[in-house]
Amino acid sequence: DGRYVSSRKAAIAQEDALITVGARRNLTGYFDGKIADIRLYNRPLTSTEVLTTKDIGVSKKSNGLIAYLAFNEGIGRRS
């Protein structure tokens, strides 16, 4: 919903790793909901940026956007 929850300092490891969406790293605690899209930025977003773009698609030219995966196919098939 774009609501601020918390923040903390973190370091980003420079190593190859798998990315899991919708579950914890050990594949427990699955997300029970719908994921409209996934966006990866090379910079932190402000709370205003999150709130103003959370329910809309973004331009491929958005500042710092390095990956955008839209899941807007409509009704699909579970595989």
Side-chain angles (χ1 to χ4, degrees), residues 38-43 60 62-69:
I38 297 172
R39 306 169 193 190
L40 298 177
Y41 291 85
N42 63 5
R43 65 178 185 86
K60 292 180 182 178
S62 293
N63 180 21
L65 184 68
I66 58 173
Y68 179 57
L69 300 124

Side-chain angles (χ1 to χ4, degrees), residues 23-35:
R24 292 191 175 108
R25 291 183 105 184
N26 62 0
L27 301 180
T28 64
Y30 291 97
F31 175 71
D32 184 20
K34 296 178 182 178
I35 299 173

